[in-house]
Amino acid sequence: MSVRAGIVVTGTEVLTGRVSDRNGPWLSDQLLELGVDVIAIAVVGDRPEDILTALRFLASEGVALVVTSGGLGPTADDLTAAVVGRFQGREMVLDEALEGRIREILRPLMSRWPDLDPEAVLVSNRKQAVIPEGAEILEPVGTAPGLVVAPADGVDGPTVVVLPGPPRELQPMWRTALAESPALRAALRDAVEYRRSMLRLFGIPESEIAATLRAAAQAGIELEPLEITTCLRRGEVEVVVRYEPGDADIYEELAAFVRDRHAGTLFSDDGTTVDEQVFALLSRARETIAVAESCTGGLLAARLTERAGASEILRGGLVVYSDEAKIALAGVDPALIAAHGAVSEEVAVALADGARRQLEADVGVGVTGIAGPGGGSDEKPVGLVWLSVSHRDGRRLTRSVTLPGARADVRDRSTTVAMHLVRRLLLSGSG
Amino acid sequence: MSVRAGIVVTGTEVLTGRVSDRNGPWLSDQLLELGVDVIAIAVVGDRPEDILTALRFLASEGVALVVTSGGLGPTADDLTAAVVGRFQGREMVLDEALEGRIREILRPLMSRWPDLDPEAVLVSNRKQAVIPEGAEILEPVGTAPGLVVAPADGVDGPTVVVLPGPPRELQPMWRTALAESPALRAALRDAVEYRRSMLRLFGIPESEIAATLRAAAQAGIELEPLEITTCLRRGEVEVVVRYEPGDADIYEELAAFVRDRHAGTLFSDDGTTVDEQVFALLSRARETIAVAESCTGGLLAARLTERAGASEILRGGLVVYSDEAKIALAGVDPALIAAHGAVSEEVAVALADGARRQLEADVGVGVTGIAGPGGGSDEKPVGLVWLSVSHRDGRRLTRSVTLPGARADVRDRSTTVAMHLVRRLLLSGSG
């Protein structure tokens, strides 16, 4: 039997969407990797009764482990440690050694804010050293310590790992807990090993994958032991399959079936993203890329610089949102804009060539479209985007798409289409 | 007594973080606006037992309303409608009229994918017309209908609104439900009106706000009726206050207290963001901006083009990730880079001036930094970012910051610092 766990994300700012939660999904993914079955992420506000309710709900489902994030800060609405202490039947006590260590952490930070009242800061942060009696302490990465709190003697229920909200604190502290906490290790003792594999496709609707899975079953592939989920993500269809190591053969059968049926649209069966593939293709060929973008306004360049080392492949980018910038920066002929409009095949081509030439790159990308909400017409509706990719050697791919959704969706999706066009152009040269 | 509600977000892809959930927070915010108290967002995978567990948990907490998102698609792992039907004690039935309407929706979509087997698509989508008997139907915006499902006669519990996962479908369908569904209106009948106000500060730590709230209480402001939450968001501190209309005076007292104590760092007390303020300041002065960015790689330009109408204020952007691009595009003197390094005050200034001149803008912004994870040194650590903003009239602000966090955090936070520098420069001219 597999180990089950739940996650409680606290914070009124997360519950109401002013901050988007990255911790729940990250922890869930980490637990899945460990073979733990996550039954739910409960996002609750800062009210102690709601945090307690979430803990009780998960406990009533029989989970062996609960991980919480958030509510360890210095303000009065940061209450997670106290609620978990109560839930586990443990008194709250001031740990003076911990208080001293937090004071040492605060000292250099306070020098950055010379106007602060130092006493107020120390009072605010003393509260972070009040912990459930007998809890294991995870040393602070920021200023807040984490906790691993087993139930008190005579209390039945899950072990609770209490982590701070900022991801850059939570992530290393979770790893420390895994490596060092006896209570966490005890809770995870019975976890079963799982594997996860992923197939990524671009250019087909999700319903087609549903049909393929039915066809695979009809063709005699025994899908039952595989846990298959499909989803649309940034314009791509992802098929994620989770299985025990003994069922790897079945997964391979399914992967071969999908590969065969979707040869033109399956672009990744090894977990790589299109971004990684474009990076690798350019690196391997020692080629560089440059972009000129209108509707995406810098998002494509930002995507190409997401990983370190981008200067190896990216010569630079031109954000040419206005017609003047298209002409001045990318060298687009004003007559082309006048004749065909800024959102046109001709201008996309001129942007790709302009970026490539102005920046002396091997590959140029041009993107021009109508991201909305205004600016659309019958002939050129909101969502229409023209993209062109051109290579120094004369190869070129140009296409238009009409993307659904709001302005942010159209902009984001356009960068995905651009990445796939670049990939196809680069592969067409290596074949 | 206020109406309480819960939200269930389904989808293994959301639970494991491959897709980040926007629906839970959006719905929560909508419900708060209506005066409904959201006790939790439960994120669960596609397993029917986990969806059912989440529904039962919320029902056991006595909520009057549950809103679900996701699991209405054509694939076999889309099970929400069936689970909700079972939960409400209603049989699942095929609604043939609905099936016909979905078929009409699919017809034009299918013509976009000429290689599809049309029969497979229709089978996949027929399932979307099987609904709990007696449910109210919300017409599809995409291909999936939504549902409002009251408990069957003799069943006690919340009304459940079932919505599809894609935000561009969910959001209009929620508004339709609010306007037209008798069952939803009945569930919301007792909601209390609330107001929400927000104070935004930049350049102080969150603990300082905690101290200010304590000081406000000591100064005799009766904070009890206010629900106050503070959070750090993209480098800013947000203080959100929720209160019943009768307590507006108390909120105003608190706001005045904060305004007085934090005059230098409070930048918004009317809900506006720094982005909106920069946009308004530039528009009002009929001035334009141009950016040259290195470590942010396009993110600042992308942020300036997030809203429609950006071409009014943004002349264009230069992504100058490599030294060659800094020299060629922004006209940075290579000797400056050689003497001071690419991440330096001098190069930030040269980038700001270069962007302004090359693009003939009124205001130029230069950003250069070490986003990491590599590339840091003792003298110039990872997270060090130099920013400069210069105006055609000679005003200039230049500063360095050392930002915590991973590469993505440093890049994102840098754009926030840049926006605040631009705001200050623009205000310094109008004062």
Coordinates of all heavy atoms in Angstrom, one line a residue, chain A residues 13 15-18 25 28 32 37 40-41 43 47 53 57 61 113 116 124 168 203 208 210 214 233 240 297 301-302 305-307 315-317 319 321-322 325 407 411, chain B residues 15-18 25 28 32 37 40-41 43 47 53 57 61 75 113 116 124 203 208 214 231 233 240 297 301-302 305-307 311 315-317 319 321-322 325 405 407 411:
Chain A
E13 N -3.5 35.9 1.0 CA -3.1 36.5 -0.3 C -3.0 35.4 -1.4 O -3.2 35.7 -2.6 CB -1.7 37.1 -0.2 CG -0.5 36.2 0.1 CD -0.3 35.8 1.5 OE1 -1.3 36.0 2.3 OE2 0.7 35.2 1.8
L15 N -5.1 32.6 -1.2 CA -6.5 32.2 -1.4 C -7.2 33.1 -2.3 O -8.1 32.7 -3.1 CB -7.2 32.2 0.0 CG -8.6 31.7 0.1 CD1 -8.8 30.3 -0.4 CD2 -9.2 31.9 1.4
T16 N -6.9 34.4 -2.2 CA -7.6 35.4 -3.1 C -6.8 35.7 -4.3 O -7.2 36.6 -5.1 CB -7.8 36.7 -2.3 OG1 -6.5 37.2 -1.9 CG2 -8.6 36.5 -1.0
G17 N -5.7 35.0 -4.6 CA -5.1 35.2 -5.9 C -4.2 36.3 -6.1 O -3.7 36.6 -7.2
R18 N -3.9 37.1 -5.0 CA -3.0 38.2 -5.2 C -1.5 37.7 -5.3 O -0.7 38.3 -5.9 CB -3.1 39.2 -4.1 CG -4.2 40.2 -4.3 CD -4.5 41.2 -3.2 NE -5.0 40.5 -2.0 CZ -4.3 40.3 -0.9 NH1 -3.1 40.8 -0.8 NH2 -4.9 39.6 0.1
P25 N 2.0 22.9 -5.9 CA 2.4 22.0 -7.0 C 3.8 21.5 -6.8 O 4.1 20.4 -7.2 CB 2.2 23.0 -8.2 CG 1.2 24.0 -7.8 CD 1.4 24.2 -6.3
S28 N 3.8 18.8 -4.3 CA 3.1 17.7 -4.8 C 4.0 16.9 -5.8 O 4.1 15.6 -5.7 CB 1.9 18.2 -5.5 OG 1.3 17.2 -6.3
L32 N 5.3 13.1 -5.3 CA 5.1 12.0 -6.4 C 6.4 11.3 -6.7 O 6.4 10.1 -6.9 CB 4.5 12.7 -7.6 CG 3.0 12.9 -7.6 CD1 2.6 13.7 -8.8 CD2 2.3 11.5 -7.8
D37 N 1.4 9.3 -2.6 CA 0.2 9.7 -3.3 C -0.4 10.9 -2.7 O -0.8 10.9 -1.5 CB -0.8 8.5 -3.0 CG -1.5 8.2 -4.3 OD1 -1.3 8.8 -5.3 OD2 -2.3 7.2 -4.2
A40 N -4.7 15.7 -2.0 CA -5.2 17.1 -2.2 C -4.2 18.2 -1.7 O -3.4 17.9 -0.8 CB -6.5 17.3 -1.4
I41 N -4.3 19.3 -2.4 CA -3.7 20.5 -1.9 C -4.9 21.4 -1.4 O -5.8 21.7 -2.1 CB -3.0 21.3 -3.0 CG1 -1.9 20.5 -3.6 CG2 -2.4 22.6 -2.4 CD1 -1.3 21.1 -4.9
V43 N -5.9 25.0 -0.1 CA -5.4 26.4 0.1 C -6.4 27.0 1.0 O -7.6 27.1 0.7 CB -5.4 27.1 -1.3 CG1 -5.0 28.5 -1.2 CG2 -4.5 26.3 -2.3
R47 N -6.9 32.3 8.7 CA -7.6 32.1 9.9 C -7.3 30.8 10.5 O -7.4 29.7 9.8 CB -9.1 32.2 9.6 CG -9.6 33.6 9.3 CD -11.0 33.7 8.9 NE -11.3 32.9 7.7 CZ -12.3 33.2 6.9 NH1 -13.2 34.1 7.2 NH2 -12.4 32.4 5.8
T53 N -9.1 23.2 10.2 CA -10.1 22.4 9.4 C -9.4 21.6 8.3 O -9.7 20.4 8.1 CB -11.2 23.3 8.8 OG1 -11.9 23.9 9.9 CG2 -12.1 22.6 7.9
F57 N -9.3 17.6 7.9 CA -9.8 16.9 6.7 C -8.8 15.9 6.2 O -9.1 14.7 6.0 CB -10.1 18.0 5.7 CG -10.0 17.5 4.3 CD1 -10.8 16.5 3.8 CD2 -9.2 18.2 3.4 CE1 -10.7 16.1 2.4 CE2 -9.1 17.8 2.1 CZ -9.8 16.7 1.6
E61 N -8.8 11.6 6.2 CA -8.6 10.7 5.0 C -7.4 9.7 5.2 O -7.1 9.0 4.3 CB -8.3 11.6 3.8 CG -9.4 12.4 3.3 CD -10.6 11.5 2.8 OE1 -10.3 10.7 2.0 OE2 -11.7 11.7 3.3
W113 N 18.2 48.4 6.3 CA 17.0 49.3 6.5 C 17.3 50.2 7.7 O 16.7 50.0 8.8 CB 15.7 48.4 6.8 CG 15.5 47.3 5.8 CD1 15.8 46.0 6.0 CD2 14.9 47.4 4.6 NE1 15.4 45.2 5.0 CE2 14.9 46.1 4.0 CE3 14.3 48.4 3.8 CZ2 14.3 45.7 2.8 CZ3 13.8 48.1 2.6 CH2 13.8 46.8 2.1
L116 N 14.6 51.5 10.4 CA 13.8 50.7 11.2 C 14.0 50.9 12.7 O 15.1 51.2 13.1 CB 14.0 49.2 10.9 CG 13.7 48.7 9.5 CD1 13.7 47.2 9.5 CD2 12.4 49.3 9.1
S124 N 8.9 41.4 16.6 CA 8.1 40.8 15.5 C 8.7 39.4 15.3 O 8.0 38.5 15.0 CB 8.3 41.6 14.2 OG 7.5 42.7 14.2
R168 N 12.0 30.1 -2.3 CA 13.4 30.0 -2.2 C 13.8 29.6 -0.8 O 15.0 29.2 -0.6 CB 14.1 31.3 -2.6 CG 13.9 32.4 -1.7 CD 14.8 33.6 -2.0 NE 14.5 34.7 -1.1 CZ 13.5 35.6 -1.2 NH1 12.7 35.5 -2.2 NH2 13.4 36.5 -0.3
G203 N 0.2 20.8 -32.0 CA -0.5 20.9 -33.2 C -1.7 19.9 -33.4 O -2.2 19.8 -34.5
E208 N -8.0 14.3 -29.7 CA -7.4 13.3 -30.5 C -6.6 12.3 -29.7 O -6.4 11.2 -30.1 CB -6.5 14.1 -31.5 CG -5.8 13.2 -32.6 CD -6.9 12.7 -33.6 OE1 -8.1 12.7 -33.3 OE2 -6.4 12.2 -34.6
A210 N -7.4 11.4 -26.7 CA -8.4 10.5 -26.1 C -8.7 9.4 -27.0 O -8.8 8.2 -26.7 CB -9.6 11.3 -25.7
R214 N -8.1 5.2 -26.7 CA -9.1 4.2 -26.9 C -8.6 3.2 -28.0 O -8.8 2.0 -27.8 CB -10.4 4.9 -27.4 CG -11.2 5.5 -26.2 CD -12.6 5.8 -26.7 NE -12.7 6.7 -27.8 CZ -12.6 8.0 -27.8 NH1 -12.6 8.6 -26.6 NH2 -12.7 8.7 -28.9
R233 N -1.1 22.5 -22.2 CA -0.3 23.5 -21.5 C 0.4 24.4 -22.5 O 1.2 23.9 -23.3 CB 0.8 22.7 -20.7 CG 1.5 23.5 -19.7 CD 2.4 22.7 -18.8 NE 3.7 22.8 -19.2 CZ 4.7 23.1 -18.4 NH1 4.5 23.3 -17.2 NH2 5.9 23.2 -18.9
V240 N 1.1 12.5 -19.5 CA 2.0 12.1 -18.5 C 1.5 10.7 -18.0 O 0.3 10.5 -17.7 CB 1.9 13.1 -17.3 CG1 2.8 12.6 -16.2 CG2 2.4 14.4 -17.8
G297 N 6.0 41.6 -27.4 CA 6.6 42.6 -26.7 C 7.8 42.3 -25.8 O 8.0 43.0 -24.8
A301 N 12.0 36.9 -26.4 CA 13.4 37.1 -25.9 C 13.5 36.7 -24.4 O 14.5 36.0 -24.1 CB 13.8 38.6 -26.0
A302 N 12.5 37.0 -23.6 CA 12.5 36.6 -22.2 C 12.6 35.1 -22.1 O 13.3 34.5 -21.3 CB 11.4 37.2 -21.4
T305 N 15.9 33.7 -22.8 CA 16.9 34.0 -21.8 C 16.5 33.4 -20.4 O 17.1 33.8 -19.4 CB 17.2 35.5 -21.7 OG1 15.9 36.1 -21.4 CG2 17.8 36.1 -22.9
E306 N 15.5 32.5 -20.4 CA 15.1 32.0 -19.1 C 16.2 31.1 -18.4 O 16.4 31.1 -17.2 CB 13.9 31.1 -19.3 CG 12.6 31.7 -18.7 CD 11.4 30.9 -19.2 OE1 11.4 29.7 -19.4 OE2 10.3 31.6 -19.4
R307 N 17.0 30.4 -19.3 CA 18.0 29.6 -18.7 C 19.4 30.3 -18.8 O 19.6 31.1 -19.7 CB 18.1 28.2 -19.3 CG 18.6 28.2 -20.7 CD 18.2 27.0 -21.4 NE 16.7 26.9 -21.5 CZ 16.0 25.9 -21.1 NH1 16.5 24.8 -20.7 NH2 14.6 26.0 -21.2
R315 N 21.7 36.4 -29.8 CA 22.4 37.6 -30.2 C 21.8 38.8 -29.5 O 22.4 39.7 -29.1 CB 22.5 37.8 -31.7 CG 23.3 36.7 -32.4 CD 24.8 36.9 -32.2 NE 25.3 38.2 -32.7 CZ 26.6 38.6 -32.7 NH1 27.5 37.8 -32.1 NH2 26.9 39.8 -33.1
G316 N 20.5 38.9 -29.6 CA 19.7 40.0 -29.0 C 18.3 40.0 -29.5 O 17.9 39.1 -30.3
G317 N 17.5 41.0 -29.0 CA 16.1 41.0 -29.4 C 15.7 42.5 -29.6 O 16.3 43.4 -29.0
V319 N 12.3 44.8 -29.5 CA 10.9 44.9 -29.2 C 10.4 46.1 -30.0 O 10.7 47.2 -29.8 CB 10.7 45.1 -27.7 CG1 9.2 45.3 -27.4 CG2 11.2 44.0 -26.9
Y321 N 7.2 47.3 -30.9 CA 5.7 47.3 -30.7 C 5.1 48.4 -31.6 O 4.0 48.2 -32.1 CB 5.5 47.6 -29.2 CG 4.1 47.2 -28.8 CD1 3.8 45.9 -28.5 CD2 3.1 48.2 -28.6 CE1 2.6 45.5 -28.1 CE2 1.9 47.8 -28.1 CZ 1.6 46.5 -27.9 OH 0.4 46.1 -27.5
S322 N 5.8 49.5 -31.8 CA 5.2 50.5 -32.7 C 5.7 50.4 -34.1 O 6.8 49.8 -34.3 CB 5.6 51.9 -32.1 OG 7.0 52.0 -32.2
A325 N 9.2 51.8 -34.6 CA 10.3 50.9 -34.1 C 10.6 49.8 -35.1 O 11.7 49.4 -35.3 CB 10.0 50.3 -32.7
R407 N -5.7 38.6 -24.1 CA -4.4 39.2 -24.5 C -3.2 38.4 -24.0 O -2.3 38.1 -24.7 CB -4.4 40.6 -24.0 CG -3.1 41.4 -24.3 CD -3.3 42.8 -23.9 NE -2.0 43.6 -24.1 CZ -1.7 44.1 -25.3 NH1 -2.6 44.1 -26.3 NH2 -0.6 44.8 -25.4
R411 N -0.5 36.3 -26.3 CA 1.0 36.6 -26.3 C 1.8 35.4 -25.9 O 2.8 35.1 -26.5 CB 1.2 37.8 -25.3 CG 0.9 39.2 -25.9 CD 0.6 40.3 -24.9 NE 1.5 40.4 -23.8 CZ 2.5 41.3 -23.7 NH1 2.8 42.1 -24.7 NH2 3.3 41.4 -22.7
Chain B
L15 N -2.6 19.5 -9.9 CA -2.1 19.0 -8.6 C -0.6 18.9 -8.6 O 0.1 19.1 -7.6 CB -2.8 17.7 -8.3 CG -2.4 17.0 -7.0 CD1 -2.9 17.9 -5.8 CD2 -3.1 15.6 -6.9
T16 N -0.1 18.5 -9.8 CA 1.4 18.2 -9.9 C 2.2 19.4 -10.4 O 3.3 19.3 -10.6 CB 1.7 17.0 -10.7 OG1 1.1 17.2 -12.0 CG2 1.0 15.7 -10.1
G17 N 1.5 20.5 -10.7 CA 2.2 21.7 -11.0 C 2.6 21.9 -12.5 O 3.3 22.8 -12.8
R18 N 2.2 21.0 -13.3 CA 2.5 21.2 -14.7 C 1.7 22.3 -15.3 O 2.1 23.0 -16.2 CB 2.3 19.9 -15.5 CG 3.6 19.0 -15.4 CD 3.4 17.7 -16.1 NE 2.5 16.8 -15.4 CZ 1.3 16.5 -15.8 NH1 1.0 16.8 -17.0 NH2 0.5 15.7 -15.1
P25 N -8.0 30.9 -7.3 CA -7.8 32.3 -6.8 C -8.8 33.3 -7.5 O -9.4 34.1 -6.9 CB -6.4 32.7 -7.2 CG -5.7 31.4 -7.3 CD -6.7 30.4 -7.8
S28 N -12.2 32.6 -6.0 CA -12.2 33.1 -4.6 C -12.3 34.6 -4.5 O -13.1 35.1 -3.7 CB -10.8 32.6 -4.0 OG -10.6 33.2 -2.8
L32 N -15.4 36.6 -2.8 CA -15.1 37.7 -1.8 C -15.9 38.9 -2.1 O -16.5 39.6 -1.3 CB -13.6 37.9 -1.7 CG -12.9 37.0 -0.7 CD1 -11.4 37.3 -0.9 CD2 -13.3 37.3 0.7
D37 N -17.7 34.1 2.1 CA -16.5 33.8 2.8 C -16.0 32.4 2.3 O -16.6 31.4 2.4 CB -16.9 33.5 4.3 CG -16.0 34.1 5.3 OD1 -14.9 34.6 4.8 OD2 -16.2 33.9 6.5
A40 N -11.9 27.4 1.8 CA -10.7 26.7 1.2 C -10.9 26.5 -0.3 O -12.0 26.4 -0.8 CB -10.5 25.4 1.9
I41 N -9.7 26.4 -0.9 CA -9.6 25.9 -2.3 C -9.0 24.5 -2.2 O -7.9 24.4 -1.6 CB -8.7 26.8 -3.2 CG1 -9.2 28.2 -3.2 CG2 -8.6 26.2 -4.6 CD1 -8.2 29.2 -3.9
V43 N -7.4 21.5 -4.1 CA -6.9 21.1 -5.4 C -6.7 19.6 -5.4 O -6.0 19.1 -4.5 CB -5.5 21.7 -5.8 CG1 -5.0 21.3 -7.1 CG2 -5.6 23.3 -5.7
R47 N -8.8 11.7 -9.9 CA -9.5 10.5 -9.4 C -10.8 10.8 -8.7 O -10.9 11.7 -7.9 CB -8.6 9.8 -8.3 CG -7.4 9.2 -9.0 CD -6.4 8.6 -8.0 NE -5.9 9.6 -7.1 CZ -4.8 9.5 -6.4 NH1 -4.1 8.4 -6.5 NH2 -4.4 10.5 -5.6
T53 N -14.1 13.2 -2.1 CA -13.6 13.5 -0.7 C -13.6 15.0 -0.5 O -14.0 15.5 0.6 CB -12.2 13.0 -0.6 OG1 -12.3 11.6 -0.7 CG2 -11.6 13.4 0.8
F57 N -15.7 17.0 2.3 CA -15.0 17.9 3.3 C -15.7 19.2 3.4 O -16.1 19.7 4.5 CB -13.6 18.0 2.9 CG -12.9 19.2 3.4 CD1 -12.8 19.6 4.7 CD2 -12.2 20.1 2.4 CE1 -12.1 20.7 5.1 CE2 -11.6 21.2 2.8 CZ -11.6 21.6 4.2
E61 N -18.2 21.1 6.4 CA -17.9 22.4 7.0 C -19.1 23.3 6.9 O -19.1 24.5 7.3 CB -16.7 23.1 6.3 CG -15.4 22.4 6.6 CD -15.1 22.5 8.1 OE1 -15.1 23.6 8.7 OE2 -14.8 21.4 8.7
T75 N -11.9 13.6 -22.4 CA -11.1 12.4 -22.2 C -11.7 11.7 -21.0 O -12.5 12.2 -20.2 CB -9.6 12.7 -22.0 OG1 -9.5 13.6 -20.9 CG2 -9.0 13.4 -23.2
W113 N -8.8 20.8 -38.3 CA -7.9 19.6 -38.1 C -8.4 18.6 -39.1 O -9.0 17.6 -38.8 CB -8.1 19.1 -36.7 CG -7.9 20.1 -35.6 CD1 -9.0 20.7 -34.9 CD2 -6.7 20.6 -35.0 NE1 -8.4 21.5 -33.9 CE2 -7.1 21.5 -34.0 CE3 -5.4 20.4 -35.3 CZ2 -6.2 22.2 -33.2 CZ3 -4.4 21.1 -34.5 CH2 -4.8 22.0 -33.5
L116 N -8.4 14.6 -38.6 CA -9.0 13.9 -37.5 C -10.1 12.9 -38.0 O -10.7 13.1 -39.1 CB -9.7 14.9 -36.6 CG -8.9 15.9 -35.9 CD1 -9.8 16.5 -34.8 CD2 -7.7 15.2 -35.2
S124 N -15.9 11.2 -28.4 CA -15.2 11.9 -27.2 C -16.1 12.9 -26.6 O -16.1 13.1 -25.4 CB -13.9 12.5 -27.7 OG -13.0 11.5 -27.9
G203 N 9.9 49.0 -0.8 CA 11.2 49.4 -0.2 C 11.2 49.3 1.3 O 12.1 49.9 2.0
E208 N 8.1 45.5 9.2 CA 7.8 46.9 9.6 C 6.3 47.2 9.6 O 5.9 48.0 10.4 CB 8.6 47.8 8.6 CG 8.6 49.2 8.9 CD 9.4 49.6 10.1 OE1 9.7 48.7 10.9 OE2 9.6 50.8 10.4
R214 N 0.8 47.2 15.2 CA 0.9 47.2 16.6 C 0.8 48.7 17.1 O 0.1 49.0 18.1 CB 2.1 46.5 17.2 CG 2.0 45.0 17.1 CD 3.1 44.4 18.0 NE 4.5 44.8 17.6 CZ 5.2 44.2 16.6 NH1 4.7 43.2 16.0 NH2 6.4 44.7 16.3
C231 N 1.1 40.9 2.7 CA 1.9 39.9 2.0 C 2.9 40.6 1.1 O 2.8 41.8 0.7 CB 1.1 39.0 1.2 SG 0.4 39.7 -0.3
R233 N 4.6 40.7 -2.4 CA 4.3 40.3 -3.8 C 5.2 40.9 -4.8 O 5.2 42.2 -4.9 CB 2.8 40.6 -4.1 CG 2.3 39.9 -5.3 CD 0.9 40.2 -5.5 NE 0.7 41.2 -6.4 CZ -0.2 41.1 -7.5 NH1 -0.8 40.0 -7.7 NH2 -0.3 42.1 -8.3
V240 N -3.9 44.3 2.7 CA -5.3 44.3 2.2 C -6.2 44.3 3.4 O -6.0 43.5 4.3 CB -5.6 43.0 1.3 CG1 -7.0 43.0 0.9 CG2 -4.7 43.0 0.1
G297 N 16.2 40.4 -20.0 CA 16.0 39.7 -21.3 C 14.7 39.9 -22.0 O 14.3 39.0 -22.8
A301 N 10.2 45.0 -21.1 CA 9.4 45.4 -22.3 C 8.1 44.6 -22.3 O 7.0 45.2 -22.5 CB 10.2 45.1 -23.6
A302 N 8.1 43.4 -21.9 CA 6.9 42.6 -21.9 C 5.9 43.1 -20.9 O 4.7 43.2 -21.1 CB 7.2 41.1 -21.6
T305 N 4.2 46.1 -22.1 CA 3.2 45.9 -23.2 C 2.1 44.9 -22.7 O 1.3 44.4 -23.5 CB 3.9 45.3 -24.4 OG1 4.6 44.1 -24.0 CG2 4.8 46.3 -25.1
E306 N 2.0 44.7 -21.4 CA 1.0 43.8 -20.9 C -0.4 44.3 -21.2 O -1.3 43.6 -21.5 CB 1.1 43.6 -19.4 CG 1.6 42.2 -19.0 CD 2.1 42.2 -17.6 OE1 1.5 42.9 -16.7 OE2 3.0 41.4 -17.3
R307 N -0.6 45.6 -21.1 CA -1.9 46.2 -21.3 C -2.0 46.7 -22.8 O -1.0 47.2 -23.3 CB -2.3 47.2 -20.3 CG -1.5 48.5 -20.4 CD -1.6 49.3 -19.1 NE -0.9 48.5 -18.1 CZ -1.4 48.2 -16.9 NH1 -2.6 48.6 -16.6 NH2 -0.8 47.5 -16.0
S311 N 1.4 50.9 -27.2 CA 2.2 51.6 -28.2 C 2.2 53.1 -28.0 O 3.1 53.8 -28.5 CB 1.7 51.2 -29.6 OG 0.4 51.5 -29.7
R315 N 8.2 53.2 -27.0 CA 8.8 53.4 -28.3 C 9.3 52.0 -28.8 O 9.2 51.7 -29.9 CB 9.9 54.4 -28.3 CG 9.5 55.8 -28.0 CD 8.8 56.5 -29.2 NE 9.7 56.5 -30.3 CZ 9.4 57.1 -31.5 NH1 8.2 57.6 -31.6 NH2 10.2 57.1 -32.4
G316 N 9.9 51.3 -27.9 CA 10.5 50.0 -28.3 C 11.5 49.5 -27.2 O 11.7 50.2 -26.2
G317 N 12.0 48.4 -27.4 CA 12.9 47.8 -26.4 C 14.1 47.1 -27.1 O 14.0 46.6 -28.2
V319 N 16.8 44.1 -26.4 CA 17.3 43.0 -25.5 C 18.8 42.8 -25.8 O 19.1 42.3 -26.9 CB 16.5 41.7 -25.7 CG1 17.0 40.6 -24.8 CG2 15.0 42.0 -25.4
Y321 N 21.5 41.1 -24.3 CA 21.9 40.1 -23.4 C 23.5 39.9 -23.5 O 24.2 39.7 -22.6 CB 21.2 38.8 -23.6 CG 21.2 37.8 -22.5 CD1 20.4 38.1 -21.4 CD2 22.1 36.7 -22.5 CE1 20.4 37.2 -20.3 CE2 22.1 35.9 -21.4 CZ 21.3 36.1 -20.3 OH 21.3 35.3 -19.3
S322 N 23.9 40.0 -24.8 CA 25.4 39.8 -25.0 C 26.1 41.2 -25.0 O 25.4 42.2 -25.3 CB 25.6 39.1 -26.3 OG 25.1 39.9 -27.4
A325 N 25.7 42.9 -28.4 CA 24.4 43.6 -28.6 C 24.3 44.9 -27.8 O 23.8 45.9 -28.3 CB 23.2 42.7 -28.1
G405 N 17.0 35.2 -4.2 CA 16.2 34.2 -4.9 C 16.9 33.6 -6.1 O 18.1 34.0 -6.4
R407 N 17.2 32.5 -10.3 CA 17.2 33.3 -11.5 C 15.9 34.0 -11.9 O 15.9 35.2 -12.2 CB 17.7 32.4 -12.6 CG 17.9 33.0 -14.0 CD 18.4 32.0 -15.0 NE 18.5 32.6 -16.3 CZ 19.5 33.3 -16.8 NH1 20.5 33.5 -16.0 NH2 19.5 33.9 -18.0
R411 N 15.2 38.1 -12.0 CA 14.7 38.7 -13.2 C 13.4 39.4 -13.0 O 13.2 40.6 -13.4 CB 14.6 37.7 -14.4 CG 15.9 37.4 -15.0 CD 16.0 36.0 -15.7 NE 14.9 35.7 -16.6 CZ 14.9 35.9 -18.0 NH1 16.0 36.4 -18.5 NH2 13.9 35.6 -18.7

